[in-house]
Amino acid sequence: MKELTITKQIQTEEDKRNQEILKNSGEVPLHIAIIMDGNGRWAKNKGSIRLHGHKVGVDSVRDITESCAQLGVKYLTLYAFSTENWGRPSTEVRGLMKLLVSSLRKEAENLNKNDIRLSTIGQLDRFPQSCQTELREAIDLTKDNKRLELCLALSYSGRWDITEAVKKIATHVKEGRLDPELINDQMIGDHLSTADVPDPDLIIRTSGEYRISNFLLWQLAYSELYITETYWPDFRRDELYEAIRSYQGRDRRFGKIPGSEDEKTGSSRLFNKKS
């Protein structure tokens, strides 16, 4: 398979060995979701403005995207901007919008060259027109790529996602096209913004906060959690490997009795890793 060049750095032989060990030691998650938290606090600790933390966080996005693709992860969902983030100071929000536009312009061709498909979920109509245009162009450019789907959750809210699904289903009922008795978990999932993507196997949260923060509330029902105190700008592939090793050691029973025929491999305990 073609060598990835997202970070513009040559992969070391040691990193290749570490990835092979990881792939041979257990199941690599098909879908990883990450709450990228701590950019502002990282910048404050460095004596810099919050936007500097967001800019350095882009380097983490590149490294984690590249390493996920190298490991064979097929879906990577990043919580990039929540609906609650609109309440931040206007200067920070404007800076984030400019950073999003400039990053998309720089990275779209790079993602395409590396066979990575870009997608988004969220209320994109709330974004400035320049952001919407860059997103549409990058999504269209990469739409046929197969190696990894990189999904950016932008102006996203798990409650909004569920509410929109309920509205769609209610419309079917109102129009007489659906019997309410037929509504089940599968149908609700089929009407979410992530309908075409499997639920996350592993969710990672950086910066040490023990919250889901309104992210993929329906989809995370049986996802394994990995929480690290490392701030997002410092979160790179070595810690990603630690998160996957933790995932591989879990006993993922999905509510079933251990040892039953339907039991799947992996765990349901919360894992906290000190940086």
Side-chain angles (χ1 to χ4, degrees):
M1 186 174 282
K2 181 181 175 183
E3 191 150 332
L4 286 150
T5 57
I6 297 171
T7 60
K8 308 293 187 182
Q9 296 179 356
I10 298 174
Q11 186 181 17
T12 66
E13 291 303 317
E14 180 183 6
D15 188 56
K16 289 179 181 178
R17 285 194 296 273
N18 288 338
Q19 289 184 354
E20 282 305 310
I21 291 170
L22 198 60
K23 286 189 280 189
N24 292 329
S25 63
E27 176 190 343
V28 173
L30 181 69
H31 183 179
I32 296 176
I34 304 179
I35 300 174
M36 306 182 296
D37 195 20
N39 290 343
R41 280 166 286 169
W42 179 90
K44 184 179 179 180
N45 290 346
K46 301 288 184 182
S48 186
I49 61 172
R50 291 175 60 86
L51 191 59
H52 178 59
H54 296 307
K55 289 179 178 177
V56 177
V58 174
D59 294 332
S60 293
V61 171
R62 291 191 192 99
D63 192 49
I64 297 306
T65 301
E66 181 177 272
S67 50
C68 278
Q70 289 166 339
L71 286 166
V73 175
K74 301 306 290 184
Y75 304 93
L76 174 63
T77 301
L78 302 179
Y79 202 10
F81 193 88
S82 71
T83 52
E84 290 79 12
N85 289 156
W86 289 112
R88 292 185 176 185
S90 58
T91 52
E92 182 177 352
V93 172
R94 285 196 301 271
L96 283 167
M97 297 301 106
K98 290 178 181 177
L99 179 61
L100 176 61
V101 170
S102 62
S103 297
L104 285 166
R105 284 177 182 165
K106 291 176 185 175
E107 303 300 332
E109 189 57 50
N110 195 18
L111 292 174
N112 191 46
K113 183 171 65 174
N114 286 281
D115 198 26
I116 293 173
R117 179 186 173 206
L118 181 69
S119 64
T120 61
I121 53 174
Q123 303 171 65
L124 300 184
D125 57 342
R126 296 185 64 178
F127 279 83
Q129 195 58 51
S130 57
C131 291
Q132 294 184 45
T133 299
E134 292 293 339
L135 281 165
R136 281 196 301 269
E137 291 179 357
I139 289 169
D140 185 62
L141 177 67
T142 62
K143 68 181 186 303
D144 296 324
N145 294 339
K146 305 294 185 186
R147 186 165 192 168
L148 169 74
E149 179 171 333
L150 172 63
C151 178
L152 302 181
L154 296 165
S155 191
Y156 178 84
S157 152
R159 288 180 173 177
W160 162 84
D161 204 358
I162 295 169
T163 300
E164 291 301 302
V166 171
K167 286 180 181 178
K168 293 172 188 174
I169 294 171
T171 299
H172 297 327
V173 173
K174 182 180 178 181
E175 294 173 350
R177 295 187 287 122
L178 175 64
D179 180 348
E181 292 300 317
L182 297 177
I183 298 172
N184 56 22
D185 288 5
Q186 181 66 47
M187 183 176 292
I188 294 172
D190 288 344
H191 285 80
L192 294 170
S193 60
T194 55
D196 297 327
V197 176
D199 290 343
D201 302 294
L202 171 65
I203 176 172
I204 299 169
R205 177 160 192 156
T206 60
S207 88
E209 302 290 349
Y210 285 80
R211 294 189 300 274
I212 297 301
S213 294
N214 207 359
F215 182 47
L216 299 176
L217 296 178
W218 181 276
Q219 298 89 333
L220 296 181
Y222 281 100
S223 301
E224 298 298 325
L225 307 181
Y226 180 91
I227 296 174
T228 173
E229 292 187 359
T230 303
Y231 294 141
W232 177 249
D234 287 330
F235 188 91
R236 300 300 167 91
R237 62 180 62 206
D238 286 342
E239 184 141 19
L240 173 70
Y241 301 163
E242 252 188 80
I244 294 174
R245 278 193 288 271
S246 172
Y247 168 85
Q248 290 175 336
R250 312 290 180 89
D251 177 20
R252 303 190 74 201
R253 297 188 298 274
F254 297 89
K256 297 181 175 62
I257 297 172
S260 66
E261 283 185 17
D262 296 329
E263 183 186 2
K264 301 181 182 181
T265 57
S267 142
S268 9
R269 62 185 175 87
L270 178 66
F271 183 88
N272 179 39
K273 189 266 179 191
K274 300 281 186 181
S275 59

